[in-house]
């Protein structure tokens, strides 16, 4: 069994641990977005495949694929669904549960970053943006005059307005630190994606404790017809038995 694991998440690293322990030949694939990625155990390749066609060609080396990319990495997941269907290679989606079942009255769900920016502007003047760097540009037109604190893993590729501050950090985060961050910035609104999981959950608790509203971007739609599990143990069972 040669397994291609589309990674870049804590779940992918957890699954790589289990696969290697079980003797499965796993190749984790990372996009190469982060200069100093947390590397999983097992073999690792870094960089895009070159779209659906490139991935389709790469699948000749594998018997199965697990797509454990981030819930907002929609292009990679769509490419995996298309290439695996075309090549007849079994595909499993491993995805951490979202936060919708933990929703609080102070959370405001939106469908897009543009909506999130507009709502954040209505709700506060000192937003904390924890939506990553790729979508920061969508917040610029609306929040250029606000005292934004943007937390990102890698430095943004765009120039941010003078009133914004950018901090670089990477989870997992603890509640005490998240409380300090929001208090020191005097945050009056937090913007996040529904990334789900536990790594970044403490910011939601901190916002609740401080009475700060949260604008939360819903997850994008997933490719249809791909079997999905939420736990690395289930993904390991699938890899070993096909169930
Ligand atoms: P994306 O928009 O879905 O993918 C864009 C392109 O990046 C893909 O078409 C593919 O290039 C390449 N790519 C993405 N994931 C890859 C992987 N695991 N291995 C090889 N190539 C990959 O992806 P994204 O949202 O930029 O996320 C990039 C990576 O960061 C993902 O691996 C994801 O798990 C991780 N990540 C994303 C987020 C997020 O919020 N989006 C958060 C945390 C971690 P080709 O078409 O050339 O194959």
């Amino acid at each position: 069994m040669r397994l291609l694991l589309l990674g870049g998440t804590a779940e992918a690293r957890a699954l790589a641990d289990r696969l290697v322990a079980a003797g499965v030949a796993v190749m984790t694939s990372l996009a190469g977005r982060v200069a100093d990625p947390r590397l999983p155990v097992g073999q690792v390749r870094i960089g895009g495949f070159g779209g659906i066609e490139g991935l389709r060609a790469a699948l000749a080396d594998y018997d199965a694929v697990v797509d454990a990319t981030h819930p907002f990495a929609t292009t990679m997941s769509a490419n995996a669904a298309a290439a695996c269907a075309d090549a007849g290679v079994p595909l499993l989606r491993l995805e951490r549960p979202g936060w919708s079942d933990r929703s609080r009255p102070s959370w405001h769900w939106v469908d897009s970053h543009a909506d999130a920016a507009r709502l954040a502007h209505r709700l506060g003047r000192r937003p904390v943006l924890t939506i990553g760097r790729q979508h920061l540009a969508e917040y610029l037109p609306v929040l250029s005059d606000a005292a934004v604190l943007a937390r990102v893993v890698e430095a943004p590729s765009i120039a941010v307005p003078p009133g914004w501050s950018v901090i670089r950090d990477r989870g997992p985060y603890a509640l005490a630190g998240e409380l300090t961050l929001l208090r020191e910035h005097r945050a009056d609104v937090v913007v996040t994606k529904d990334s789900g999981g536990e790594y970044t959950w403490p910011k939601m608790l901190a916002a609740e404790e401080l009475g700060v509203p949260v604008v939360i971007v819903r997850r994008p739609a997933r490719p249809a017809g791909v079997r999905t599990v939420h736990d690395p143990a289930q993904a390991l069972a699938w890899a070993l038995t096909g169930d």
Side-chain angles (χ1 to χ4, degrees):
M1 156 67 96
R2 300 159 304 163
L3 191 136
L4 176 62
L5 174 54
L6 303 172
T9 58
E11 302 75 63
R13 291 190 294 276
L15 177 57
D17 279 343
R18 289 168 188 257
L19 289 165
V20 168
V24 175
V26 56
M27 172 73 79
T28 294
S29 177
L30 302 177
R33 296 270 191 281
V34 178
D36 178 26
R38 287 202 179 97
L39 292 175
V41 299
Q43 287 189 283
V44 176
R45 66 167 296 287
I46 297 182
F49 295 93
I52 296 171
E53 281 313 309
L55 179 57
R56 168 84 175 80
L59 290 180
D61 294 333
Y62 301 99
D63 303 304
V65 176
V66 175
D67 170 16
T69 56
H70 190 271
F72 283 76
T74 48
T75 305
M76 189 69 252
S77 289
N79 289 359
C84 287
D86 193 34
V89 172
L91 170 67
L92 182 77
R93 170 73 180 152
L94 168 60
E95 181 171 287
R96 70 184 80 146
W99 289 327
S100 55
D101 60 354
R102 305 185 195 179
S103 196
R104 308 292 208 264
S106 57
W107 292 12
H108 303 262
W109 291 85
V110 295
D111 287 323
S112 69
H113 288 284
D115 287 349
R118 281 189 287 272
L119 188 53
H121 181 64
R122 286 213 335 257
L123 290 171
R125 297 305 298 151
R126 304 189 59 81
V128 171
L129 303 184
T130 62
I131 44 83
R133 67 173 171 149
Q134 294 190 70
H135 291 276
L136 274 183
E138 293 174 61
Y139 292 80
L140 281 180
V142 183
L143 295 178
S144 57
D145 293 333
V148 167
L149 173 65
R151 181 168 68 188
V152 291
V153 177
E154 292 285 314
S157 50
I158 56 163
V160 301
W164 287 31
S165 29
V166 175
I167 55 170
R168 288 182 59 192
D169 203 353
R170 174 156 71 177
Y173 299 102
L175 178 58
E178 299 298 67
L179 285 166
T180 301
L181 182 86
L182 297 190
R183 280 195 184 113
E184 286 187 350
H185 184 64
R186 290 179 286 119
D188 51 14
V189 57
V190 170
V191 184
T192 182
K193 299 185 283 199
D194 180 16
S195 295
E198 305 309 318
Y199 265 41
T200 58
W201 174 246
K203 72 184 167 196
M204 310 301 263
L205 296 177
E208 187 179 30
E209 190 169 326
L210 299 176
V212 174
V214 175
V215 177
I216 179 163
V217 182
R218 281 192 188 88
R219 290 182 171 193
R222 306 296 318 170
V226 178
R227 181 167 167 207
T228 299
V229 298
H230 301 291
D231 182 340
Q234 294 170 290
L236 175 67
W238 178 85
L240 294 178
T241 67
D243 279 338

